[in-house]
Amino acid sequence: MRESKIMLLQYLTGLFILVLGTFHMLLLSVLAPTSNKVLYQYASTNHTLIGGTLYYSTVTAIYHTLLWGSIFELLLTFLVFHIFNGFRIILSEQFPGAKAEKVITYSMLILGLVIFIWGSRTIVLMLLQGGI
Amino acid sequence: MELVLKGFGEVVKTVTFRVRRYDPEKKEMPKYMEYKVPVQRGMTVLDGVLYIKEHLDPSLAARYSCRMGICGSCAMIINGKERLACQTQILELNKDLIKVDPLGNYDTVKDLVPDLNKLFKNHESVKPYIVREEAEPYGEYIQLPEEREKYALFTECIMCGACLSACPTMATDDLYLGPQALAQAYRYIADSRDAGFNERLNLLDSKHGVWRCHFAGACSEVCPKGVDPALAIQLLRGVLSKNVFIKYKQNPAKLGPERASIKEVL
């Protein structure tokens, strides 16, 4: 693939990460599926955690919806491409040369795939079964 | 009437030159040596270096030619910044100590003389000339003044090599084309008479081409002729981005009337 196509994807994924990442962060506040939007809610009598945006069951409830599952999967895809292509660029500059670049490109491709499969597994399991 | 410039020819102050000395043939580590140079009004850093060579240490090596900022031979790092030594007034630096280094990101031939082979090879690789389909032009290439404006800024390059010395990507990536070659590639691609975009594409769109610029802007900052290679690189990126999914066809300017017919008119 031509470098200009790869770099165009790099810039576009960066933009999408910004948008989807914003939604991801808004889940902690404005879009939080809790009524009072607090991160942690403790019982009034003792310090037992009973709710809040970061409460385990609240978090898993978000993953149960197909919309949010798809958004997270997209975010993961864009992040994996952006991060590992970024690493490829940095390492190619540090170790220029045909052989080194081949090793770097394939290493990043394999590492990216491993992370992508592992992350997708988490999202899909959460979506289907409600937990990992 | 004889014109007398006040203070001209008098020693205004004495400045210390700290010059990086290195001779690869001696297999010694580079070192700095200090020289006291009496400074007159109007004296440039190149004059100071030549004063050292003539009066204090004839073994000091420096490259220079025109002494008027045209040839680009005397580019060196003066007080941490790439400049033409012949265009840098010592008194304007307003320092008692002037540190002089050879250009960075190049091998050193000796002392203040960098090995500019990298610069010339990269420059040559982008085909810095008008590429046409016809073997021999039979007339003039027609170009409007506004068409020339598109690349006029980038024709000012004197190949002094200061931009490569300042470029942070050049410091890490040996295969990077560098701001000078990329700016010249844009200069010819933007030229309405040129048809060589596709011939240059593989090199410009490679892993060490136009996309490796981090837009630090150091090249434009140090360019003694104000060429602005960073701008050329961004414009080049724009050209590549616009043509990322299609095979770009560059339509060169048409040839004007045959020379023979012009002669007849004249």
Side-chain angles (χ1 to χ4, degrees):
Chain A
M1 195 189 273
R2 264 164 60 181
E3 196 69 9
S4 52
K5 284 183 185 166
I6 299 172
M7 290 310 292
L8 204 64
L9 283 174
Q10 182 77 356
Y11 297 145
L12 284 175
T13 51
L15 199 69
F16 290 142
I17 288 165
L18 197 71
V19 175
L20 296 180
T22 306
F23 277 115
H24 187 53
M25 291 300 162
L26 286 176
L27 270 176
L28 296 173
S29 55
V30 182
L31 298 177
T34 50
S35 55
N36 50 10
K37 315 285 185 197
V38 292
L39 295 182
Y40 299 105
Q41 189 181 357
Y42 296 96
S44 54
T45 49
N46 53 32
H47 291 293
T48 312
L49 193 62
I50 56 164
T53 312
L54 291 180
Y55 193 55
Y56 182 74
S57 59
T58 317
V59 174
T60 51
I62 295 167
Y63 276 86
H64 288 167
T65 58
L66 186 65
L67 177 70
W68 279 115
S70 311
I71 287 176
F72 292 146
E73 186 63 33
L74 273 177
L75 183 59
L76 174 75
T77 311
F78 296 148
L79 275 171
V80 165
F81 180 87
H82 196 82
I83 290 168
F84 287 99
N85 187 45
F87 277 139
R88 178 190 69 87
I89 293 164
I90 295 165
L91 291 171
S92 298
E93 280 178 24
Q94 295 296 322
F95 308 102
K99 199 178 169 185
E101 277 163 29
K102 215 171 200 175
V103 172
I104 290 163
T105 304
Y106 282 107
S107 306
M108 292 304 109
L109 199 66
I110 292 164
L111 264 172
L113 271 174
V114 169
I115 301 287
F116 177 74
I117 291 166
W118 188 258
S120 299
R121 173 190 166 274
T122 309
I123 293 168
V124 170
L125 282 179
M126 291 284 273
L127 189 68
L128 297 178
Q129 298 172 10
I132 46 171
Chain B
M1 193 181 89
E2 194 182 343
L3 184 71
V4 181
L5 294 174
K6 194 182 174 190
F8 204 78
E10 294 168 14
V11 175
V12 181
K13 68 181 204 178
T14 301
V15 167
T16 305
F17 270 59
R18 184 179 289 167
V19 184
R20 187 179 185 268
R21 306 295 309 270
Y22 176 56
D23 186 353
E25 287 180 5
K26 285 186 181 169
K27 304 205 184 306
E28 287 174 2
M29 291 295 282
K31 62 186 174 191
Y32 284 97
M33 287 180 74
E34 291 192 356
Y35 306 93
K36 300 275 183 203
V37 176
V39 178
Q40 298 173 6
R41 210 174 289 276
M43 201 168 156
T44 65
V45 172
L46 181 63
D47 291 333
V49 169
L50 294 179
Y51 177 89
I52 295 167
K53 195 170 170 59
E54 283 167 21
H55 298 96
L56 306 173
D57 189 347
S59 70
L60 177 65
R63 188 188 281 138
Y64 67 98
S65 183
C66 73
R67 301 192 193 198
M68 55 178 80
I70 293 171
C71 72
S73 301
C74 65
M76 47 187 81
I77 301 177
I78 299 161
N79 280 358
K81 188 181 175 187
E82 286 78 2
R83 308 169 208 247
L84 292 182
C86 69
Q87 296 289 287
T88 309
Q89 296 275 324
I90 296 174
L91 293 177
E92 279 184 8
L93 289 171
N94 201 21
K95 299 273 184 211
D96 293 327
L97 176 74
I98 293 174
K99 193 163 167 267
V100 188
D101 290 271
L103 290 180
N105 298 335
Y106 298 100
D107 292 335
T108 302
V109 178
K110 198 190 169 198
D111 299 334
L112 300 174
V113 183
D115 180 359
L116 296 179
N117 269 322
K118 192 197 289 184
L119 174 82
F120 298 136
K121 277 184 184 168
N122 288 355
H123 180 72
E124 196 183 347
S125 70
V126 298
K127 300 185 187 243
Y129 42 83
I130 287 173
V131 177
R132 296 286 296 198
E133 280 169 12
E134 67 270 9
E136 196 71 38
Y138 57 81
E140 310 298 331
Y141 296 131
I142 296 169
Q143 187 171 61
L144 298 170
E146 50 267 35
E147 286 174 328
R148 191 186 179 277
E149 277 303 306
K150 287 181 184 169
Y151 65 87
L153 175 69
F154 310 112
T155 61
E156 302 290 329
C157 177
I158 54 171
M159 294 181 71
C160 63
C163 53
L164 264 71
S165 170
C167 175
T169 311
M170 283 306 300
T172 54
D173 188 349
D174 262 352
L175 301 175
Y176 179 50
L177 274 174
Q180 192 275 339
L182 289 171
Q184 290 313 297
Y186 180 76
R187 177 252 173 273
Y188 285 96
I189 287 170
D191 193 320
S192 62
R193 299 165 295 179
D194 185 79
F197 179 82
N198 286 317
E199 285 186 34
R200 299 185 186 101
L201 184 63
N202 280 347
L203 197 63
L204 299 175
D205 207 0
S206 70
K207 286 177 181 168
H208 303 280
V210 71
W211 300 103
R212 290 297 83 84
C213 168
H214 296 217
F215 203 25
C219 51
S220 302
E221 180 77 24
V222 301
C223 180
K225 308 305 275 186
V227 168
D228 202 352
L231 172 67
I233 295 170
Q234 302 316 307
L235 292 170
L236 210 46
R237 281 179 172 180
V239 174
L240 291 179
S241 300
K242 277 180 198 162
N243 304 290
V244 71
F245 296 116
I246 53 161
K247 192 169 164 47
Y248 185 66
K249 179 87 176 79
Q250 197 175 7
N251 294 315
K254 288 187 172 63
L255 275 166
E258 283 185 39
R259 287 204 180 98
S261 67
I262 296 170
K263 277 177 192 167
E264 281 170 20
V265 173
L266 292 172

